[in-house]
Amino acid sequence: MGELSKLTGKNNYFEDFAVGLVIRHARGKTVTPLENVLITNMVMNTAQGHFNEHAMAATPFGTIISYGGVNFSLVLGLACQDCCENALAELGLDNIRLTKSVTHGDTLYAYSEVLETGDADRDDAGIVVFRHYGYNQRDEQVAQVDRRVLLKRKSHWADR
């Protein structure tokens, strides 16, 4: 187990999170046609606004808008390194809000807030509820999602 634990951070176990903690995640991700169009088509979303440039050119957007599932998934991914590397299970996603349209070329950034922590039905893990926020390069909030995660306890899993 010692070698595997070296692959994850040392400060993202259950005990490292307290209600009210806010984390600004280091990376950003620019939304490209690869993410949006590929995933839109893979999940069979038929809304042309996500893949028909010709049709969208005549709209107030003037361009393709990114599928909301892609947007909040990127926010979850940006938050993962700091919040969920030591997850044993994803327990739920709730209160998903897509508050502003995202287009190709927008760059998303993420922040996370710890809403609650609690015991699990096992000794080696606890439950943390995060609220993840996604912002674009203009500092406009574009997404929000609550994530419930079963996280390893440092007392059981960390190197000693």
Side-chain angles (χ1 to χ4, degrees), residues 29-31 34 42 64 86 109 132 138-139 148 150:
K29 173 66 177 94
T30 302
V31 178
L34 174 65
M42 286 175 63
I64 290 176
N86 283 303
Y109 298 93
H132 302 298
R138 292 177 296 280
D139 205 31
R148 187 174 177 84
L150 181 68

Side-chain angles (χ1 to χ4, degrees), residues 73-93:
S73 294
L74 288 173
V75 171
L76 291 173
L78 290 167
C80 213
Q81 180 178 7
D82 298 320
C83 297
C84 301
E85 265 192 335
N86 283 303
L88 294 170
E90 291 270 5
L91 301 176
L93 299 174

